């Protein structure tokens, strides 16, 4: 959708015209992939409570728990291979998803102001993913606006984080893998603005307005926003099962590129 967009999450509920509070439900179900979240004076808070279920248990490796929202969704019928972000060969749809087009930018700018509380077993991210609704086109690439693993954080006396940004082609043969996680001297628990500005020639990734990476020839097909916080139980130290990772979002905004 080539239109300006802004959400400060000031309403008592998520805007149903923009968001679905699930994480890739076609491979599971909407009920089993429902996000844990709340809205309040700080904006949107996504978290992974200690009793949150595994996502696609027994099938996804490594095991993970996730709370996420996405600005688009669709799938083919049950038993078909047609869905988004297929994570292994042979995957088939378990619950058909109706077509939903909340906000699907093709180029321009996407920015998020967010803070996160992570342990070494958790991660938070915002990425743009190709809607992938044409099996012949393979428009499944990603633009990662930020990807932060708790185990990449620097010590509290000298806060820093490896912030993953760039292009992930997945199965799109037109794209080149161009992803890296430079270490940035920021405290990710505080609010920072992570952004990408892109067109057919270049994607420019920034944090608080400072350029951290440039990537050539990004995708310019319709892409949905994927925002999520993850917990990986296998990374447990044995004394961290009570920890609840959170991702707090003050605002997400975007501007379309020239047509």
């Amino acid at each position: 959708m080539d239109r300006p967009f802004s959400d400060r999450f000031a309403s008592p509920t998520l805007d149903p015209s923009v968001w679905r509070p699930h994480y890739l439900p076609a491979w599971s179900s909407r009920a089993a992939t429902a996000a844990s979240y709340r809205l309040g004076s700080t904006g949107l808070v996504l978290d992974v409570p200690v009793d949150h279920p595994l996502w696609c248990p027994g099938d996804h490796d490594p095991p993970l728990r996730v709370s996420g929202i996405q600005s688009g969704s669709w799938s083919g019928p049950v038993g078909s291979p047609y869905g988004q972000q297929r994570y292994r060969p042979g995957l088939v749809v378990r619950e058909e998803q109706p077509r939903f087009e909340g906000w699907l930018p093709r180029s321009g700018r996407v920015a998020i102001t967010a803070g996160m509380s992570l342990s070494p077993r958790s991660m938070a991210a915002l990425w743009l993913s190709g809607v992938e609704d044409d099996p012949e086109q393979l428009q499944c690439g990603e633009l990662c606006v930020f990807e932060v693993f708790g185990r990449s954080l620097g010590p509290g006396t000298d806060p820093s984080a490896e912030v993953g940004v760039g292009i992930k082609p997945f199965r799109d043969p037109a794209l080149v893998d161009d992803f890296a996680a430079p270490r940035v001297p920021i405290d990710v628990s505080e609010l920072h603005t992570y952004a990408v500005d892109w067109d057919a020639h270049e994607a420019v990734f920034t944090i608080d307005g400072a350029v951290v990476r440039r990537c050539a020839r990004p995708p310019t097909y319709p892409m949905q926003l994927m925002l999520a916080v993850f917990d990986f139980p296998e990374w447990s130290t044995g004394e961290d099962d009570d920890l609840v990772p959170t991702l707090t979002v003050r605002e997400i905004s975007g501007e379309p590129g020239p047509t």
Side-chain angles (χ1 to χ4, degrees), residues 166 196 230:
V196 61
F230 297 81

Side-chain angles (χ1 to χ4, degrees), residues 24-30 56 59 73-98 132:
L24 300 174
W27 313 125
S28 177
S29 69
R30 288 184 292 277
C56 293
D59 189 71
S73 183
W74 78 279
S75 82
V78 171
S80 76
Y82 304 123
Q84 300 172 308
Q85 299 189 19
R86 296 190 295 278
Y87 57 84
R88 65 166 176 81
L91 197 63
V92 297
V93 172
R94 295 185 178 182
E95 181 184 273
E96 184 172 353
Q97 303 301 311
E132 202 173 350

Side-chain angles (χ1 to χ4, degrees), residues 118-123 147-155 159-164 181-184 188:
L118 303 173
S119 76
R121 59 181 276 174
S122 55
M123 182 264 278
E147 179 184 276
V148 177
F149 287 88
R151 58 187 181 183
S152 78
L153 302 181
S160 65
E162 294 177 2
V163 181
R183 182 163 292 279
V184 182
V188 297

Side-chain angles (χ1 to χ4, degrees), residues 38-138:
R38 59 188 181 274
L39 298 162
S41 59
T42 59
L44 168 68
V45 180
L46 289 163
D47 62 14
V48 183
V50 295
D51 59 350
H52 202 68
L54 289 174
W55 184 73
C56 293
D59 189 71
H60 189 275
D61 185 28
L64 63 84
R65 304 185 302 151
V66 55
S67 284
I69 63 175
Q70 53 192 68
S71 69
S73 183
W74 78 279
S75 82
V78 171
S80 76
Y82 304 123
Q84 300 172 308
Q85 299 189 19
R86 296 190 295 278
Y87 57 84
R88 65 166 176 81
L91 197 63
V92 297
V93 172
R94 295 185 178 182
E95 181 184 273
E96 184 172 353
Q97 303 301 311
R99 181 173 294 274
F100 168 66
E101 299 181 358
W103 190 55
L104 308 177
R106 303 170 59 100
S107 64
R109 175 178 174 83
V110 170
I112 179 172
T113 299
M116 60 206 81
S117 175
L118 303 173
S119 76
R121 59 181 276 174
S122 55
M123 182 264 278
L126 170 67
W127 67 103
L128 282 69
S129 176
V131 176
E132 202 173 350
D133 58 354
D134 185 341
E136 301 301 322
Q137 294 294 325
L138 296 179

